[in-house]
Each structure stands twice: as C-alpha cells, then as structure tokens.
Amino acid sequence: MNARKIYPLIVVLITLSVVGILFIQMSWINNAIKLKHEEFQRSVDNVLKQTRETVFGKYLTKQTNYILDEDSRRFYLANHFTIEGSFTKDEITEIIRRELKNSNIKQSSFEYCITNIYKNVILHSDHFTAADMEGAYRVELAPEDSYRARETLFLSIREDKNLIIREMGWMIVASIVFTTIIVLAFAVTVRTLFNQKKLSEIKSDFINNMTHELKTPLATISLAIDALTNEKVIHDTDKIKIYSGMIKEENKRMNKQVEKILQAARLEKEEIKLTLQKLDAHQVISKVAHNMALQIQEKNGSIDLRLAATDAVVEADEVHFSNIIFNLLDNAMKYSTEAPKIVVETLKHGNGMLTIKVKDNGIGMDRETQARIFEKFYRAHTGNIHNVKGFGLGLSYVKAIVEAHDGRIKVESAPGKGSTFTITLPGGIR
Ligand code: ADP
C-alpha cells in the first residue's frame, strides 16, 4: 500500500479509536454513577430497615419491662405495635439521624412522615410537604405477619449528585486529561504527517523545476557549441559572436538560477551576513529598474518610478537590497499576462521609516495564496502561472532579508486585479 492511501487510512483508524475510547470511557463513568446511585438506594433501604428494628426495640422497652424471646416479641408487636401515641416526632427524627450516620450516608437534610392504613399522616418532620412523598423511600412499620393496621414510614432524602461527582472527580478529571493528551498528540501527528507529505511534494516539484531551469540553458549552450564547430560558422566572425553571446547569456542565466538556490540554502542555515552601509534607496531602485528596462520593453510593458520620499537613505546591505528590489520587479513582470505596468513608489514617514511599494497590473492572487507566498518553495498552482518558471524561493528570500534589516513586508492583491508589495524599512539613522 502506498503512502497516499495509508495516510487517510491511519487518520480514519485513529479517529475511530479515539471516538471508541471516548465512548467506552463515557459509558464507564455513566455505569459508575449508576452503581453509586444503586448503592445509595440500597443503603437508604437498609437505613429504613434498621430504623424499623430500632423503633420496635424502643417500643418494646417502653411497653414491657421484661425480656421477651423472639417469638413472643413478634407476637407482641404484631398485636400491639403502633407509632401513634408511642413516639414523638423528635424521637423518630433522632432514630433516623443515627441510622443514617451508622450507614455512613453523608446527608444532613431529610424529611419524613408516617401514615396509617387510611393513608393519613400521623407524624411528620417539621418541613415535610406533600411533594416530599414523591420519590420517597418507604418501609412498613409492622412485623411481616402483622394483622394489625399497618403504618408506613416515608423518608424523603435527596441524593447529593455533587457528592458522586466529587467522589469520582479524580476519575473524570484524569480521563479528560488523558483523552485531551491523546487527541492533541493525534492532531500533532496528523499535522506532521501532512506537513511531511506536503514537503515531499514541494521537494519533488522543486527538483522538477530546477532540472527544467538548468536543462534549457544547457540545451541551448550545447546547440550553440554544435553550431560553432560547424564548418560554415567557424569562419564567420559575426555568427561566432552571436553564438558565443548566446552561450554567455545562457551561462549567466544558469548562474542566476544557481545563485538563487544558494541564497535559499544560505537562508536555511540562517547565514544572513549583512554588510550595512548608508544607501540611497532611490539610486538602487533606479539602477535595478534600468537594468530590467530592456526585458520590460520586450513585453511592451512600462515601469513608472514615483520616488517621492524626501529622504531615501537607508542603512542596508547593497547586494541584498538590490536583490530584493530585483525579485519584486521580476515577479511583477513575470506574473502578468498582458503588458506589465509596474509602478514603484516611495514614501518617507515622520518616524523615519521608508516605505517602498511595488505595484503591478498582473494576475494577482487570492487570499490563500497571499498567505503562503512567503513560504519557501511555495508557488501558486493555478492557471497561467504554470507557464512561469521559478523555484518559489524569491519571496521567502525577500522576506528574510527585509526582516534582517528590521523591516516589514506585506502584500495586497486580488485575482485579476494586480498586486502591491509594500516594504517598510527603518531609515538611515538608527
Ligand atoms: P517564484 O516566482 O520563483 O515562483 P516567489 O517566491 O518569487 O517564487 O513567488 C512565490 C509565488 O508567489 C509565485 O509562484 C506566484 O504564485 C506568487 N507571486 C509572487 N509575486 C507575484 C505577483 N507580483 N503577482 C502574482 N503572483 C505573485
């Protein structure tokens, strides 16, 4: 199975596992809460049974002075036992409270009532209301085989849900923490995976581009050399000049490409060594524009220098500074389908910063492309751009150099509407 298929499969499998683990954890926690609830119910039932036994015991000690055996005890209770008139409200409250304490039920508030066979309330706690009957625990206050009127004790005691959550808190917190770690680790892994994939695509794109860029001049040089060795040409000095000029031109082009790659490699190692000097930015811009004038003319384009800054002195590295202006102008020229109309503007700010704007009327770019053009190797993969050759290194270099000069760069653009690159650099006095 190749990587293309394996990545989505891994993502799906891990997502399913994480969802599965989450589901299992939730049902475990749910089950644990249910078990706690059942345990609480059992304890309360137990408390009621104990209360009944204690009430019986107390009743017998109140009514008879002698010790009865089990049978006569039951017989006596079955025939005589009644709460009515034998116990006060406070006595019952005290018995229930003690039994709750014995059963370790950490519950301070409860309400109760006792009804007779006609369902009339014969005894109740201070704040007992009819609503408390709902969901109340109950026990009949009579021995199993009693044929006397049965009385029933209703105990209303609310389970403290927070208590359950507090008791299970560590479990819930731990499972949330671990699950979050798993999800985060998963997200990071997936991101790394996709980044790696993107990187390998970018690398193979780059190698293709580079091969192409170097092969074309090599082929031209080879043809020119063939021509030079041709019998007819060898004695024609004009032709020799043309062909050797071609070889020189192509050689220059190749050199430029290699230089670009070397620039990128140097940036990778963060080896930007600037030789700072006071430069007149206008002079540099004019020089670069002049050097490019011929190429722009060939495309029937124009370059308009509106160098309005009152003081254009910057402290910069001359070579790098010329390179960044060249790269911006080169792109402005490359990424236009019609005759390129390039405008370069400068502006001096009150705080000493110098702004240089390079505007074009080219193909422009969408927001997504704008966000990525400063990444190394990034090239927009749309429409006509395929026809334009490049390594996707130019703007990453420009940005690195601008930032090394403590400057900033930004782009404004819209598809079909051209682009404007704005560089802001600190002025000469720093
Ligand atoms: P390269 O030009 O070698 O591809 P760059 O880093 O100079 O590399 O540019 C990166 C990408 O940004 C280009 O491939 C192109 O898609 C886009 N781009 C750069 N400048 C412009 C511009 N002036 N107009 C439109 N798109 C541009």
Side-chain angles (χ1 to χ4, degrees):
M1 211 184 269
N2 64 19
R4 212 178 270 265
K5 284 184 191 153
I6 255 182
Y7 288 160
L9 189 71
I10 290 177
V11 172
V12 169
L13 285 180
I14 299 183
T15 311
L16 279 180
S17 312
V18 170
V19 171
I21 289 173
L22 273 178
F23 181 75
I24 291 171
Q25 269 187 350
M26 303 254 276
S27 64
W28 267 344
I29 292 175
N30 220 2
N31 261 348
I33 290 177
K34 220 188 276 171
L35 281 178
K36 284 259 172 206
H37 178 63
E38 281 169 13
E39 192 186 306
F40 178 80
Q41 284 179 326
R42 264 200 307 279
S43 308
V44 176
D45 280 338
N46 220 20
V47 164
L48 285 178
K49 282 189 193 124
Q50 285 303 323
T51 307
R52 180 175 65 186
E53 291 312 312
T54 316
V55 169
F56 286 166
K58 286 228 155 120
Y59 178 79
L60 288 173
T61 21
K62 276 188 184 184
Q63 301 296 326
T64 57
N65 299 333
Y66 44 89
I67 298 166
L68 296 169
D69 63 34
E70 188 56 27
D71 281 347
S72 26
R73 199 173 171 268
R74 287 166 68 88
F75 185 75
Y76 189 87
L77 285 171
N79 283 295
H80 300 91
F81 178 77
T82 174
I83 291 271
E84 217 169 351
S86 324
F87 287 91
T88 65
K89 167 190 78 181
D90 291 340
E91 277 175 316
I92 300 291
T93 307
E94 192 44 44
I95 293 172
I96 296 176
R97 177 163 295 137
R98 195 164 303 147
E99 290 306 337
L100 282 175
K101 202 171 157 211
N102 289 346
S103 291
N104 273 333
I105 296 183
K106 298 182 196 96
Q107 192 73 28
S108 49
S109 77
F110 62 87
E111 300 296 336
Y112 74 88
C113 81
I114 296 169
T115 57
N116 62 15
I117 193 165
Y118 309 110
K119 308 235 183 306
N120 291 331
V121 175
I122 51 174
L123 208 68
H124 66 82
S125 57
D126 286 342
H127 305 291
F128 188 86
T129 61
D132 288 323
M133 289 291 261
E134 204 181 313
Y137 296 82
R138 56 154 74 191
V139 68
E140 288 199 338
L141 292 175
E144 304 293 311
D145 48 358
S146 165
Y147 43 80
R148 263 187 64 84
R150 292 179 174 200
E151 292 159 342
T152 310
L153 165 64
F154 289 88
L155 176 66
S156 166
I157 178 165
R158 296 269 169 262
E159 190 179 0
D160 185 356
K161 293 262 190 262
N162 287 339
L163 187 80
I164 296 185
I165 292 179
R166 245 178 285 134
E167 276 181 3
M168 294 185 40
W170 65 268
M171 201 165 136
I172 296 172
V173 169
S175 75
I176 289 175
V177 168
F178 289 131
T179 315
T180 315
I181 292 176
I182 290 178
V183 171
L184 284 181
F186 173 48
V188 170
T189 313
V190 170
R191 230 181 74 171
T192 319
L193 218 69
F194 280 103
N195 279 348
Q196 294 282 357
K197 200 171 145 219
K198 215 166 69 190
L199 208 71
S200 82
E201 280 170 8
I202 284 173
K203 281 209 168 130
S204 69
D205 266 6
F206 170 69
I207 291 170
N208 284 343
N209 266 335
M210 191 173 71
T211 329
H212 179 94
E213 294 279 300
L214 296 181
K215 252 173 101 174
T216 321
L218 280 177
T220 318
I221 289 173
S222 162
L223 283 176
I225 290 173
D226 281 351
L228 279 177
T229 49
N230 188 307
E231 273 305 315
K232 282 184 207 154
V233 177
I234 217 156
H235 303 295
D236 186 339
T237 30
D238 282 348
K239 283 215 165 123
I240 288 181
K241 265 188 198 153
I242 292 175
Y243 287 125
S244 53
M246 261 166 86
I247 292 175
K248 195 163 170 78
E249 214 33 59
E250 290 304 310
N251 192 23
K252 237 162 82 184
R253 216 171 101 185
M254 242 163 57
N255 248 335
K256 220 167 79 185
Q257 310 293 14
V258 172
E259 189 50 40
K260 261 193 190 170
I261 298 168
L262 286 180
Q263 266 174 7
R266 250 178 257 137
L267 288 188
E268 187 113 308
K269 288 198 220 147
E270 294 190 5
E271 275 180 16
I272 311 179
K273 287 208 182 72
L274 299 178
T275 318
L276 294 179
Q277 64 185 96
K278 287 205 178 6
L279 290 178
D280 183 352
H282 287 172
Q283 254 179 28
V284 178
I285 295 169
S286 306
K287 200 166 132 196
V288 177
H290 183 259
N291 288 344
M292 296 183 75
L294 218 70
Q295 289 179 59
I296 295 171
Q297 265 170 27
E298 264 172 30
K299 291 184 99 181
N300 292 324
S302 66
I303 180 159
D304 183 4
L305 302 185
R306 299 180 190 162
L307 308 179
T310 43
D311 160 25
V313 176
V314 284
E315 199 174 340
D317 181 300
E318 189 171 6
V319 178
H320 285 305
F321 185 63
S322 306
N323 283 345
I324 61 178
I325 301 294
F326 171 81
N327 280 350
L328 292 180
L329 294 182
D330 193 39
N331 279 351
M333 196 174 62
K334 278 198 308 190
Y335 298 106
S336 59
T337 41
E338 314 155 11
K341 281 198 171 53
I342 307 170
V343 178
V344 185
E345 279 176 6
T346 59
L347 187 76
K348 182 84 178 177
H349 296 274
N351 58 4
M353 303 293 274
L354 178 74
T355 292
I356 304 169
K357 275 182 197 263
V358 178
K359 280 189 205 170
D360 65 51
N361 60 337
I363 55 172
M365 43 195 145
D366 57 25
R367 285 194 165 276
E368 202 192 327
T369 308
Q370 286 172 46
R372 302 198 50 197
I373 49 173
F374 297 110
E375 285 173 25
K376 205 173 274 179
F377 298 118
Y378 180 79
R379 306 199 71 219
H381 283 286
T382 46
N384 300 312
I385 306 178
H386 275 303
N387 304 334
V388 182
K389 296 289 166 249
F391 298 131
L393 294 172
L395 288 180
S396 69
Y397 166 77
V398 171
K399 186 171 159 71
I401 296 298
V402 168
E403 284 175 356
H405 282 86
D406 291 334
R408 284 189 315 268
I409 180 162
K410 68 170 186 182
V411 61
E412 288 152 285
S413 184
K417 298 241 167 77
S419 315
T420 303
F421 284 86
T422 308
I423 295 177
T424 309
L425 291 171
I429 307 124
R430 272 199 263 173

